[in-house]
Amino acid sequence: MQQAVCAPKARVPDPSPDESLPFTVERATPAIGAYVGGIDLRDPLDEPAYLALRRLLIRYKVLFFRDQDITPAQHVALAQRFGELEVHPVFAHHPDHPELALFDKSGEKRGHENIFHSDVSWREVPSMGSILRCVECPRVGGDTIWVNMALAYDKLPEDVKTRIATFQAVHDLLPLFGKVLSPEQRASVRAQNPAVTHPVVRTHPESGEKILFVNEAFTTHFANYADTTAYRFGFDLKLAEMDLLQYLFRQAAAPEYQVRLKWQPNTIAFWDNRAAQHYAVQDYYPAVRRMMRATIIGDRPV
């Protein structure tokens, strides 16, 4: 079951032009992402460092940190600095820290995260962000791609923006995760995690940006398409709905909106789930790829 809902964070002040950051920042691509250096994430973040990282997260959507040999307890403490953490209802958990989801792939267990998605968009209160640490990975392969969905929305044709402005979409975890659960587990997970409805275009609570908030992993259909669309026959209605939804899904696949990270052990990625989607490239089987992720509870999309 979802943890208690956190109140949205107060809007973080914009940085002044002459702000002096306590670490280095190198932009990854024109669209999204930045590498942050000169910081040791084993140490608790003081207020200036916390505020600076939060501003950078909002600006760049995903932050990358190399050579961060943190313990699971330090991983949890870092994530908790940004908000309350969730416990995932399907993924394996760290034995001492249930807030840490474990991704342990090898020749015995192939990965299946190779689909564009926003973590836990199927929750009534989706996540604010995720912090993923690489424990072990192949020398080649196993990259992750992130997408700036604020930019994807901004570049949509104006007639599409007008059309989807009032649309709501249904998000559900079972179509993707149900295949790994027994019938009894499916019933239990469904009872605690019913399908939910979110705006197709959400507003970022801190930046005010408009974001395209549908993803092909968890968004199943529009909740109010028939209420807003004239049609002759039922098959026209359903096919047109699926065509539009697939068109919106495809925006995440544009390389112009993306950044791709080559993992190394002790690399950390911290991304804004409200504004970014990601895709774990499954090109490394049967090599070993082990990761840990903490997910920070966010706010209801509006």
PDB file of all heavy atoms in Angstrom, residues 214-225:
ATOM      1  N   VAL A 214       1.669  10.679 -20.219  1.00  0.00           N
ATOM      2  CA  VAL A 214       1.209   9.331 -20.557  1.00  0.00           C
ATOM      3  C   VAL A 214       2.436   8.514 -20.908  1.00  0.00           C
ATOM      4  O   VAL A 214       3.420   9.050 -21.428  1.00  0.00           O
ATOM      5  CB  VAL A 214       0.199   9.319 -21.732  1.00  0.00           C
ATOM      6  CG1 VAL A 214      -1.096  10.011 -21.339  1.00  0.00           C
ATOM      7  CG2 VAL A 214       0.787   9.957 -22.992  1.00  0.00           C
ATOM      8  N   ASN A 215       2.410   7.214 -20.630  1.00  0.00           N
ATOM      9  CA  ASN A 215       3.548   6.363 -20.973  1.00  0.00           C
ATOM     10  C   ASN A 215       3.057   4.986 -21.368  1.00  0.00           C
ATOM     11  O   ASN A 215       2.032   4.502 -20.883  1.00  0.00           O
ATOM     12  CB  ASN A 215       4.543   6.288 -19.818  1.00  0.00           C
ATOM     13  CG  ASN A 215       4.003   5.569 -18.594  1.00  0.00           C
ATOM     14  OD1 ASN A 215       4.090   4.339 -18.494  1.00  0.00           O
ATOM     15  ND2 ASN A 215       3.427   6.320 -17.654  1.00  0.00           N
ATOM     16  N   GLU A 216       3.796   4.345 -22.273  1.00  0.00           N
ATOM     17  CA  GLU A 216       3.304   3.098 -22.866  1.00  0.00           C
ATOM     18  C   GLU A 216       3.378   1.908 -21.924  1.00  0.00           C
ATOM     19  O   GLU A 216       2.762   0.873 -22.189  1.00  0.00           O
ATOM     20  CB  GLU A 216       4.052   2.784 -24.158  1.00  0.00           C
ATOM     21  CG  GLU A 216       5.546   2.586 -24.017  1.00  0.00           C
ATOM     22  CD  GLU A 216       6.207   2.264 -25.352  1.00  0.00           C
ATOM     23  OE1 GLU A 216       5.508   1.710 -26.233  1.00  0.00           O
ATOM     24  OE2 GLU A 216       7.393   2.553 -25.520  1.00  0.00           O
ATOM     25  N   ALA A 217       4.079   2.043 -20.805  1.00  0.00           N
ATOM     26  CA  ALA A 217       4.126   0.933 -19.857  1.00  0.00           C
ATOM     27  C   ALA A 217       2.849   0.831 -19.036  1.00  0.00           C
ATOM     28  O   ALA A 217       2.349  -0.268 -18.791  1.00  0.00           O
ATOM     29  CB  ALA A 217       5.328   1.084 -18.928  1.00  0.00           C
ATOM     30  N   PHE A 218       2.310   1.963 -18.601  1.00  0.00           N
ATOM     31  CA  PHE A 218       1.237   1.940 -17.617  1.00  0.00           C
ATOM     32  C   PHE A 218      -0.052   2.641 -18.052  1.00  0.00           C
ATOM     33  O   PHE A 218      -1.091   2.443 -17.417  1.00  0.00           O
ATOM     34  CB  PHE A 218       1.720   2.579 -16.313  1.00  0.00           C
ATOM     35  CG  PHE A 218       2.930   1.908 -15.724  1.00  0.00           C
ATOM     36  CD1 PHE A 218       4.085   2.622 -15.449  1.00  0.00           C
ATOM     37  CD2 PHE A 218       2.928   0.542 -15.469  1.00  0.00           C
ATOM     38  CE1 PHE A 218       5.202   2.002 -14.908  1.00  0.00           C
ATOM     39  CE2 PHE A 218       4.051  -0.098 -14.945  1.00  0.00           C
ATOM     40  CZ  PHE A 218       5.181   0.646 -14.666  1.00  0.00           C
ATOM     41  N   THR A 219      -0.035   3.465 -19.088  1.00  0.00           N
ATOM     42  CA  THR A 219      -1.253   4.147 -19.532  1.00  0.00           C
ATOM     43  C   THR A 219      -2.018   3.226 -20.476  1.00  0.00           C
ATOM     44  O   THR A 219      -1.479   2.799 -21.503  1.00  0.00           O
ATOM     45  CB  THR A 219      -0.922   5.465 -20.243  1.00  0.00           C
ATOM     46  OG1 THR A 219      -0.083   6.262 -19.407  1.00  0.00           O
ATOM     47  CG2 THR A 219      -2.201   6.231 -20.553  1.00  0.00           C
ATOM     48  N   THR A 220      -3.264   2.915 -20.135  1.00  0.00           N
ATOM     49  CA  THR A 220      -4.038   1.944 -20.912  1.00  0.00           C
ATOM     50  C   THR A 220      -5.007   2.583 -21.895  1.00  0.00           C
ATOM     51  O   THR A 220      -5.235   2.060 -22.982  1.00  0.00           O
ATOM     52  CB  THR A 220      -4.812   1.012 -19.979  1.00  0.00           C
ATOM     53  OG1 THR A 220      -5.684   1.799 -19.138  1.00  0.00           O
ATOM     54  CG2 THR A 220      -3.862   0.189 -19.116  1.00  0.00           C
ATOM     55  N   HIS A 221      -5.620   3.728 -21.535  1.00  0.00           N
ATOM     56  CA  HIS A 221      -6.593   4.370 -22.419  1.00  0.00           C
ATOM     57  C   HIS A 221      -6.967   5.737 -21.861  1.00  0.00           C
ATOM     58  O   HIS A 221      -6.600   6.073 -20.728  1.00  0.00           O
ATOM     59  CB  HIS A 221      -7.854   3.509 -22.573  1.00  0.00           C
ATOM     60  CG  HIS A 221      -8.600   3.260 -21.304  1.00  0.00           C
ATOM     61  ND1 HIS A 221      -8.183   2.358 -20.339  1.00  0.00           N
ATOM     62  CD2 HIS A 221      -9.756   3.805 -20.814  1.00  0.00           C
ATOM     63  CE1 HIS A 221      -9.032   2.341 -19.326  1.00  0.00           C
ATOM     64  NE2 HIS A 221      -9.984   3.226 -19.583  1.00  0.00           N
ATOM     65  N   PHE A 222      -7.660   6.511 -22.651  1.00  0.00           N
ATOM     66  CA  PHE A 222      -8.207   7.771 -22.177  1.00  0.00           C
ATOM     67  C   PHE A 222      -9.490   7.503 -21.402  1.00  0.00           C
ATOM     68  O   PHE A 222     -10.299   6.657 -21.806  1.00  0.00           O
ATOM     69  CB  PHE A 222      -8.518   8.713 -23.335  1.00  0.00           C
ATOM     70  CG  PHE A 222      -7.320   9.144 -24.127  1.00  0.00           C
ATOM     71  CD1 PHE A 222      -7.216   8.847 -25.476  1.00  0.00           C
ATOM     72  CD2 PHE A 222      -6.296   9.858 -23.530  1.00  0.00           C
ATOM     73  CE1 PHE A 222      -6.121   9.250 -26.216  1.00  0.00           C
ATOM     74  CE2 PHE A 222      -5.178  10.260 -24.258  1.00  0.00           C
ATOM     75  CZ  PHE A 222      -5.095   9.954 -25.607  1.00  0.00           C
ATOM     76  N   ALA A 223      -9.683   8.224 -20.314  1.00  0.00           N
ATOM     77  CA  ALA A 223     -10.895   8.025 -19.513  1.00  0.00           C
ATOM     78  C   ALA A 223     -12.099   8.761 -20.081  1.00  0.00           C
ATOM     79  O   ALA A 223     -13.250   8.343 -19.855  1.00  0.00           O
ATOM     80  CB  ALA A 223     -10.646   8.493 -18.077  1.00  0.00           C
ATOM     81  N   ASN A 224     -11.877   9.850 -20.827  1.00  0.00           N
ATOM     82  CA  ASN A 224     -12.992  10.691 -21.268  1.00  0.00           C
ATOM     83  C   ASN A 224     -12.955  10.978 -22.763  1.00  0.00           C
ATOM     84  O   ASN A 224     -13.469  12.007 -23.217  1.00  0.00           O
ATOM     85  CB  ASN A 224     -12.995  12.012 -20.479  1.00  0.00           C
ATOM     86  CG  ASN A 224     -11.712  12.813 -20.655  1.00  0.00           C
ATOM     87  OD1 ASN A 224     -10.664  12.263 -20.999  1.00  0.00           O
ATOM     88  ND2 ASN A 224     -11.791  14.111 -20.417  1.00  0.00           N
ATOM     89  N   TYR A 225     -12.354  10.089 -23.548  1.00  0.00           N
ATOM     90  CA  TYR A 225     -12.245  10.333 -24.989  1.00  0.00           C
ATOM     91  C   TYR A 225     -13.623  10.428 -25.633  1.00  0.00           C
ATOM     92  O   TYR A 225     -13.899  11.348 -26.411  1.00  0.00           O
ATOM     93  CB  TYR A 225     -11.434   9.224 -25.650  1.00  0.00           C
ATOM     94  CG  TYR A 225     -11.121   9.476 -27.101  1.00  0.00           C
ATOM     95  CD1 TYR A 225     -10.036  10.260 -27.467  1.00  0.00           C
ATOM     96  CD2 TYR A 225     -11.915   8.921 -28.114  1.00  0.00           C
ATOM     97  CE1 TYR A 225      -9.741  10.504 -28.802  1.00  0.00           C
ATOM     98  CE2 TYR A 225     -11.628   9.154 -29.443  1.00  0.00           C
ATOM     99  CZ  TYR A 225     -10.545   9.954 -29.790  1.00  0.00           C
ATOM    100  OH  TYR A 225     -10.261  10.188 -31.121  1.00  0.00           O
TER     101      TYR A 225
END
